[in-house]
Amino acid sequence: MAGRSSGRNVRADAQRNIETLVRTARDVFATSGVEAPMREIAEKAGVGVGTIYRNFPQRSDLIAAVFRSEVDACADAATSLAEAYPPGEALDRWMQRYVDFIVAKRGLAAALHSGDPAFEALPAYFDSRFEPALQRLLDAAVTAGEIRPDANPYDLLRAVASLCMPSSDGNPAAARRLVALLVDGLRYRAAGPKGDASPAHKPD
């Protein structure tokens, strides 16, 4: 029994090391870029460089792990926001959270599109996490009569990414304003709380 418990503790310690490395690498990449020295990451994480390479043999493996962790955090925020706010506000807040994610990841764009095999599965992972998260928020807002029923998560995610393109300097302010307008447009022809479709505007 003691040996089995010791094995579990070792696995738990190893998992904590991995989580610490990913969090630290995320912060270092954000300030120093994805080419930051592994020694810098190791020192800030309080581990040896060998620990990094045992868990992430290639730099691209660590970059991919950081990207996945950030995707997970952003996607999981949809559930937290849906529990804390009315449907329309939850959608607003998550779309702004997604803007921050996109803008912050601009520095990883070159690496993610480098053709490295470590990144091949990331686009599918991105879609598998974000599309269902956004779909749930959209469904709730439609049910509440707050947005129109024909919004598509695939289209919206890519529209937001396009609106964030000018924010490659890392400042999300302009993108936030544009995405707020985009989401506000979803309210046009919303059913409303009583199920009555808002009439289209007719010119005088």
Side-chain angles (χ1 to χ4, degrees), residues 29 38 55-69 71 108-126:
F29 290 163
M38 288 297 190
N55 292 286
F56 306 101
Q58 303 294 327
R59 178 182 296 273
S60 56
D61 297 322
L62 181 55
I63 294 171
V66 168
F67 187 79
R68 283 193 178 91
S69 73
V71 168
L108 290 174
L112 295 174
H113 293 92
S114 65
D116 191 301
F119 305 138
E120 288 179 355
L122 289 180
Y125 188 75
F126 182 101

Side-chain angles (χ1 to χ4, degrees), residues 179-200:
V179 171
L181 289 172
L182 173 67
V183 176
D184 197 47
L186 298 177
R187 296 185 171 91
Y188 179 67
R189 294 200 178 191
K194 296 182 180 179
D196 297 327
S198 301

Side-chain angles (χ1 to χ4, degrees), residues 1-13:
M1 293 292 292
R4 189 176 302 171
S5 176
S6 176
R8 285 198 296 269
N9 290 337
V10 170
R11 288 193 295 272
D13 288 344

Side-chain angles (χ1 to χ4, degrees), residues 35-60:
E35 297 302 324
M38 288 297 190
R39 186 171 298 279
E40 178 183 354
I41 297 171
E43 289 175 354
K44 291 186 175 181
V47 301
V49 174
T51 300
I52 295 181
Y53 286 110
R54 278 196 300 274
N55 292 286
F56 306 101
Q58 303 294 327
R59 178 182 296 273
S60 56

Side-chain angles (χ1 to χ4, degrees), residues 70-85:
E70 291 296 277
V71 168
D72 289 341
C74 185
D76 291 344
T79 299
S80 301
L81 292 169
E83 292 172 350
Y85 298 98

